[in-house]
Amino acid sequence: METVKQEKKRYELLDAFRGILMIEMVIYHYLFDVAVFSTDFGEFFTNPAYYIFQQSIGWGFIFLSGMCVVFSKKMLKRGLTILGAAVIVSLVTYIFTPDVAINFGVLCCIGSCMLLMIPVKRISEKWNTWVAFAISFLLFLFCRNINTGYFGFESLNLFALPEFLYANYLTAYLGFPPLSFTSGDYYPLFPWFFLYMSGYFLFKGIYQREKIKNILSYKIPGLSYLGKYSLLIYLLHQPVCYAVAFAVCKWM
């Protein structure tokens, strides 16, 4: 199998997809902040539609980030930068919203996955791309519930995992949180690294086709721009959402 060549060309449509996810994330975090300040709004989060909406954002960011690894450069620097941003976000939430502080959120997950993909890209060059995609995605589905103590997906729990795996914050980072662990945004390394790899292998299998490249080059004004500055927007939007939600709830 030929190694995918690195290209300087930027695919605007991927930025647009990321821009859509950014808009969804801002809406979600604003609603989350309103729920923090308003005791009457918490019932919103028991709605199944909210759960699907919230999950779609996390799935989308992680899968899309995995796709972009196909032609990513300076992955070590980028991964460490994202992890640094994750630390900043966690510290800010511990100061302003300690009850729902973020431990091992989506930025931590993406930064960690990016670093792990450095050796994976090298050793997987001769793998069959479609087999690797299928195995990665099946592993994600099979391990989806390990954070709650089971192998399985959503409401389907196949069998329980040993309790000793769920010991401390290190195991929580890996995907095995103890009962005392809490987080306002929790995306541990597993099972999400399998979804990240799924995005990588799927995109590696399709993007070299000329028709796909032409589609990916399509620019959507506004959305593509948002996607290019997603990390900066992620760091800045939450204080704004927090302030607006506080003002709205105070004067309602």
Side-chain angles (χ1 to χ4, degrees), residues 201-218:
F201 288 118
L202 176 65
F203 196 57
K204 185 179 180 181
I206 66 173
Y207 107 105
Q208 288 281 35
R209 301 175 185 178
E210 199 59 35
K211 289 184 178 180
I212 298 296
K213 289 185 177 182
N214 291 335
I215 294 173
L216 293 175
S217 299
Y218 185 74

Side-chain angles (χ1 to χ4, degrees), residues 52-83:
I52 295 174
F53 176 63
Q54 184 264 345
Q55 288 291 296
S56 71
I57 300 171
W59 283 49
F61 271 121
I62 294 170
F63 193 82
L64 182 59
S65 181
M67 291 172 61
C68 294
V69 166
V70 171
F71 41 77
S72 291
K73 298 180 179 180
K74 300 180 179 179
M75 291 175 60
L76 177 60
K77 179 180 178 181
R78 181 67 173 171
L80 292 175
T81 299
I82 295 174
L83 283 176

Side-chain angles (χ1 to χ4, degrees), residues 59-197:
W59 283 49
F61 271 121
I62 294 170
F63 193 82
L64 182 59
S65 181
M67 291 172 61
C68 294
V69 166
V70 171
F71 41 77
S72 291
K73 298 180 179 180
K74 300 180 179 179
M75 291 175 60
L76 177 60
K77 179 180 178 181
R78 181 67 173 171
L80 292 175
T81 299
I82 295 174
L83 283 176
V87 172
I88 293 174
V89 170
S90 291
L91 290 175
V92 171
T93 57
Y94 265 100
I95 294 172
F96 292 100
T97 55
D99 292 339
V100 287
I102 294 176
N103 295 295
F104 312 128
V106 69
L107 283 185
C108 180
C109 177
I110 290 175
S112 299
C113 289
M114 189 171 292
L115 295 180
L116 280 179
M117 280 304 299
I118 296 174
V120 170
K121 284 185 69 175
R122 294 174 181 173
I123 65 177
S124 66
E125 288 182 357
K126 295 183 179 180
W127 294 359
N128 181 291
T129 301
W130 295 111
V131 172
F133 163 71
I135 292 175
S136 298
F137 194 67
L138 286 174
L139 282 172
F140 169 69
L141 296 179
F142 185 64
C143 298
R144 178 67 180 90
N145 292 350
I146 64 172
N147 308 148
T148 59
Y150 295 89
F151 275 120
F153 181 79
E154 296 296 342
S155 60
L156 176 64
N157 289 323
L158 299 177
F159 57 86
L161 289 165
E163 292 184 5
F164 72 84
L165 292 175
Y166 301 82
N168 49 49
Y169 267 60
L170 175 59
T171 63
Y173 166 73
L174 295 175
F176 308 99
L179 291 176
S180 60
F181 178 81
T182 60
S183 180
D185 180 41
Y186 183 49
Y187 287 90
L189 192 58
F190 298 105
W192 298 102
F193 183 54
F194 295 131
L195 182 64
Y196 195 91
M197 287 198 299

